[in-house]
Amino acid sequence: MKRIALLGMPNTGKSTLFNRISGASARVGNWPGITVDLMSAKILMGGHIAELVDLPGIYDLHGFSDDEQVVRHFLEHNNIDLVILVLNTSQIDRQLSLGLQVRDLGIPTVLMLNMVDEAQRNGISIDRDMMSTHMGMPVALISAKYGDGLKQALDLAAEILNRQQPPAAEVLRAQLSSDDKIEREMESIVRSAVQMPLQMNDELTARIDRLVLHPWLGLPLFFLAMYILFQFIFVASTPLQDGIEWLMGYFRGGVLDPMLSTAPAWLHGLLLDGVYNGVGTVATFLPLIILFFLVMTLVEDSGYLSRAAFLTDSLMAKMGLDGRGFVMLLMGFGCNVPAIMGTRTMRSRPMRLLSMLVIPFSLCSARLQVFVFMAAALFTPSQAPLVLFSLYMMSFAVTLLSALLFKGQFKSNEPFILELPPYRFPTPRQIFLRGWHEVGHFLRRASKFIVIGVVLVWALTNYPSDVPPASAYTFAGMIGAALAPVLDPIGIDGNLAIALIFGFVAKEIVVGSLAVIYGLSGDPLMQLMASKLDWVQGMSFMLFTLIYTPCLSTIATLKSESRSHAFMWLSIVWSLVLAWMVRVIFYQGARALGF
Ligand SMILES: Nc1nc2c(ncn2[C@@H]2O[C@H](COP(=O)(O)OP(=O)(O)OP(=O)(O)O)[C@@H](O)[C@H]2O)c(=O)[nH]1
Ligand SMILES: [Mg+2]
């Protein structure tokens, strides 16, 4: 099988092109360093079945950060039949250096100058033939986002792929030209093949930036924008959530109950009160999750992330992190796993470790489900959004506290150079791809963890079979009693403890477990929670859920990215200790104040 690699600088549209060619849904975003791992897909090109590989963006071939190592390792250990070199046309004067390095590798290459739409707007024009002659490779002008010029570009690529060629050279052993020589050559190519205005004026971007990057308005504006977006997510998702809940109840009453009416009681209980209630309760959050990720797509694709990094860089530096760390925390709002992987762009290992230590405190969408549920059960509709917002603030506070405490152990002085890309807006196609991707992710998690989790919880709370379900005499009750010395000071009973224990695996299971433990779902479950817990207990439960170990996938990622058991354990133990301390302080404090 032929192998084709997409290579280029960060944020040039490689993943966008990859999705276009293969129909996949690799993550795309207006931030250098969205892709940090290999992703591949089978495609048909020039009559061959080929493997197309999307690589992380790199600035040059000598880099030594972890994502650059991924590229180097790939180039060194694989035979590559064709490189599709993707560069940003608007920045061609800076990006050609990588092009020249790639040419020196001696692998058949086609140069795709991407984002011609933006280049045209900026008044840049390219002499394609001249460029091709100088670079010694075919050149195509494309817009991966809108599809312009793609057909011709792919025909060119297929043509090269079909040419008989010597087996790919021993890559990277090739002698790369010296930097000086590359710089001189680059200047001469730009002079003869590129027409650029003296000053690039992206009026819109400049105007927005004057406001958004304002020295003292910038940060408040950022938090205001986030607040409005989150408000929007909750307001818009609530009716959809109610709709799904209604459908689930209707289906159970109209179809499942009659169908299983003759089944033995345990089977009826397991399937309906266990699996159906548990998974169904989690499924009602699907609209929230989809909407949440659509908003994340807007934020990530707009270019605002780089502005957020810029605004927070000096604050983050005081905690031993930098603006990138802040962006990873924001990405962690979606899911902690890609955020932890996103730290691969950091070259300094201490800085990377410190960032990875704090990212798990970022309030991910799975935890959000627990909080939306609890806030709706225990607070009024006007209080609930404030409760949620305070949890986001708490998430930041815990992050900053941890960074401050540990920064002495993880010192680094890596300079952070930030590029502010122009503002962009995702196309409907990009939004749809992302939404689709997240639904798939949610369903995979649901089928893997959540079903197993709720079945186990059901068994623990319903056996031994001769005692009342969810009582102190069940296995769950016994576990709860054993944990009582640790749980009493934080105001939590055995049943909630079971939910938290399963929350170790995945936070979605927490709400599912509550449904299973009490054999209820939807409104009745919320009413029961409200009768069992006062707001202090509820808030303390949420604080614990926020801070303690996020989930198995996150732990596994921490382990594989840090390549250190000790670091993984540090993260687990620290988050447990911190969660417990915060909760004791909150719970005992609130009680002492008479709440
Ligand atoms: N205007 C315009 N924007 C584009 C085009 N192609 C990609 N983009 C945008 O450029 C940004 C970066 O796209 P990605 O596909 O994530 O870039 P990448 O090269 O994979 O980036 P890394 O994975 O970080 O190396 C996104 O905001 C895309 O929507 C294009 O042809 N025109
Ligand atoms: Mg990418």
Side-chain angles (χ1 to χ4, degrees):
M1 190 165 53
K2 303 256 180 187
R3 189 175 284 120
I4 307 170
L6 283 163
L7 200 68
M9 288 206 181
N11 211 24
T12 52
K14 296 176 297 301
S15 299
T16 309
L17 183 62
F18 177 79
N19 288 347
R20 272 268 173 203
I21 302 177
S22 69
S25 61
R27 197 146 151 221
V28 164
N30 196 1
W31 166 261
I34 288 277
T35 311
V36 288
D37 210 351
L38 303 177
M39 175 146 177
S40 70
K42 299 242 171 355
I43 59 164
L44 205 62
M45 183 178 274
H48 301 279
I49 296 183
E51 184 189 26
L52 181 68
V53 184
D54 183 23
L55 294 169
I58 50 167
Y59 289 103
D60 69 69
L61 285 174
H62 317 282
F64 53 90
S65 66
D66 280 359
D67 57 335
E68 287 162 329
Q69 302 279 12
V70 167
V71 176
R72 269 248 289 281
H73 186 269
F74 177 81
L75 293 176
E76 277 166 5
H77 294 89
N78 290 281
N79 271 333
I80 298 157
D81 301 283
L82 173 69
V83 167
I84 297 183
L85 177 64
V86 184
L87 301 180
N88 177 350
T89 314
S90 299
Q91 299 183 343
I92 187 76
D93 52 335
R94 278 177 282 152
Q95 301 206 337
L96 265 186
S97 55
L98 177 68
L100 292 167
Q101 285 187 343
V102 170
R103 183 197 61 185
D104 287 354
L105 293 178
I107 310 173
T109 302
V110 49
L111 170 57
M112 300 206 180
L113 292 175
N114 191 23
M115 308 195 181
V116 281
D117 54 308
E118 275 177 12
Q120 253 161 18
R121 238 176 298 138
N122 291 329
I124 298 169
S125 60
I126 306 281
D127 183 336
R128 206 170 64 108
D129 294 336
M130 192 68 101
M131 179 70 79
S132 176
T133 313
H134 278 294
M135 292 293 290
M137 57 181 78
V139 175
L141 298 175
I142 63 166
S143 166
K145 183 170 172 180
Y146 300 103
D148 305 326
L150 256 169
K151 173 133 195 348
Q152 297 95 306
L154 292 179
D155 287 347
L156 263 183
E159 204 177 297
I160 302 183
L161 200 64
N162 279 336
R163 259 183 230 157
Q164 204 57 31
Q165 59 209 219
E170 292 262 291
V171 174
L172 292 196
R173 249 182 250 156
Q175 203 62 44
L176 295 186
S177 310
S178 73
D179 291 348
D180 276 356
K181 184 165 166 273
I182 284 193
E183 200 154 317
R184 276 198 306 277
E185 199 175 350
M186 197 162 88
E187 271 172 26
S188 114
I189 297 179
V190 170
R191 229 179 297 126
S192 60
V194 180
Q195 264 203 341
M196 269 186 160
L198 276 179
Q199 203 182 3
M200 281 233 262
N201 48 354
D202 187 341
E203 250 317 298
L204 184 68
T205 292
R207 231 181 304 152
I208 301 178
D209 273 345
R210 266 200 293 280
L211 180 67
V212 166
L213 298 181
H214 190 277
W216 51 269
L217 271 182
L219 264 186
L221 270 178
F222 170 77
F223 283 107
L224 182 70
M226 289 298 134
Y227 185 72
I228 292 174
L229 285 178
F230 283 118
Q231 275 286 14
F232 164 75
I233 294 172
F234 300 127
V235 171
S237 67
T238 311
L240 296 170
Q241 214 161 318
D242 292 343
I244 293 202
E245 216 173 282
W246 180 83
L247 269 179
M248 304 273 318
Y250 187 77
F251 187 64
R252 179 173 174 162
V255 180
L256 295 179
D257 272 332
M259 211 166 83
L260 287 170
S261 58
T262 51
W266 69 266
L267 187 65
H268 188 271
L270 170 66
L271 289 182
L272 291 186
D273 299 332
V275 177
Y276 190 74
N277 264 6
V279 177
T281 303
V282 181
T284 53
F285 289 99
L286 200 54
L288 177 81
I289 298 301
I290 296 177
L291 215 71
F292 183 89
F293 278 102
L294 294 189
V295 169
M296 288 285 282
T297 311
L298 277 184
V299 173
E300 287 180 5
D301 213 43
S302 64
Y304 200 23
L305 288 183
S306 304
R307 274 72 187 180
F310 175 84
L311 287 169
T312 54
D313 191 53
S314 58
L315 174 75
M316 298 303 281
K318 294 198 181 78
M319 325 296 162
L321 299 165
D322 66 21
R324 273 174 303 187
F326 186 81
V327 168
M328 291 308 136
L329 287 173
L330 285 182
M331 283 191 188
F333 283 173
C335 175
N336 292 175
V337 171
I340 291 173
M341 294 184 63
T343 59
R344 285 189 184 178
T345 57
M346 298 175 180
R347 291 180 183 209
S348 136
R349 181 164 163 88
M351 161 97 70
R352 225 195 130 190
L353 289 178
L354 187 61
S355 306
M356 290 202 284
L357 189 67
V358 301
I359 289 171
F361 295 121
S362 183
L363 196 170
C364 68
S365 60
R367 273 171 273 187
L368 182 63
Q369 298 171 31
V370 182
F371 302 153
V372 167
F373 173 84
M374 289 299 255
L378 300 178
F379 294 89
T380 65
S382 59
Q383 290 167 336
L386 287 174
V387 169
L388 291 173
F389 198 66
S390 72
L391 285 163
Y392 275 106
M393 291 295 116
M394 191 65 199
S395 150
F396 268 126
V398 174
T399 304
L400 299 186
L401 174 77
S402 302
L404 271 181
L405 284 176
F406 284 96
K407 75 171 181 184
Q409 268 71 54
F410 300 99
K411 277 207 184 75
S412 93
N413 49 6
E414 181 190 342
F416 167 44
I417 300 159
L418 179 70
E419 179 196 352
L420 294 180
Y423 285 101
R424 298 190 173 119
F425 205 73
T427 58
R429 179 195 159 90
Q430 286 175 319
I431 296 182
F432 174 79
L433 274 182
R434 180 68 184 276
W436 183 244
H437 182 80
E438 294 304 336
V439 172
H441 181 77
F442 180 85
L443 292 179
R444 271 194 303 281
R445 272 175 81 95
S447 52
K448 204 159 65 186
F449 297 135
I450 303 175
V451 173
I452 299 174
V454 294
V455 167
L456 280 176
V457 173
W458 181 83
L460 286 177
T461 47
N462 282 274
Y463 285 88
S465 56
D466 49 350
V467 302
S471 68
Y473 310 105
T474 60
F475 291 127
M478 294 177 208
I479 297 175
L483 291 173
V486 223
L487 298 177
D488 281 347
I490 51 182
I492 191 182
D493 71 8
N495 285 330
L496 288 184
I498 294 295
L500 285 179
I501 290 174
F502 280 91
F504 258 114
V505 179
K507 287 292 168 294
E508 291 95 336
I509 304 181
V510 172
V511 178
S513 307
L514 293 176
V516 174
I517 292 169
Y518 297 111
L520 295 170
S521 62
D523 277 342
L525 180 62
M526 288 196 182
Q527 279 154 16
L528 184 81
M529 295 312 298
S531 71
K532 281 193 167 291
L533 303 175
D534 62 13
W535 75 268
V536 176
Q537 284 169 312
M539 196 68 199
S540 128
F541 181 78
M542 290 194 267
L543 282 175
F544 195 84
T545 308
L546 170 66
I547 304 171
Y548 88 114
T549 320
C551 67
L552 273 189
S553 319
T554 302
I555 296 174
T557 311
L558 276 177
K559 161 81 199 15
S560 61
E561 293 297 305
S562 67
R563 287 179 232 108
S564 152
H565 276 289
F567 181 78
M568 177 190 84
W569 282 111
L570 171 70
S571 166
I572 296 176
V573 172
W574 168 240
S575 65
L576 275 173
V577 169
L578 188 64
W580 195 81
M581 285 192 318
V582 167
R583 228 180 130 164
V584 170
I585 294 171
F586 173 82
Y587 185 74
Q588 300 294 353
R591 288 291 185 243
L593 290 173
F595 288 110

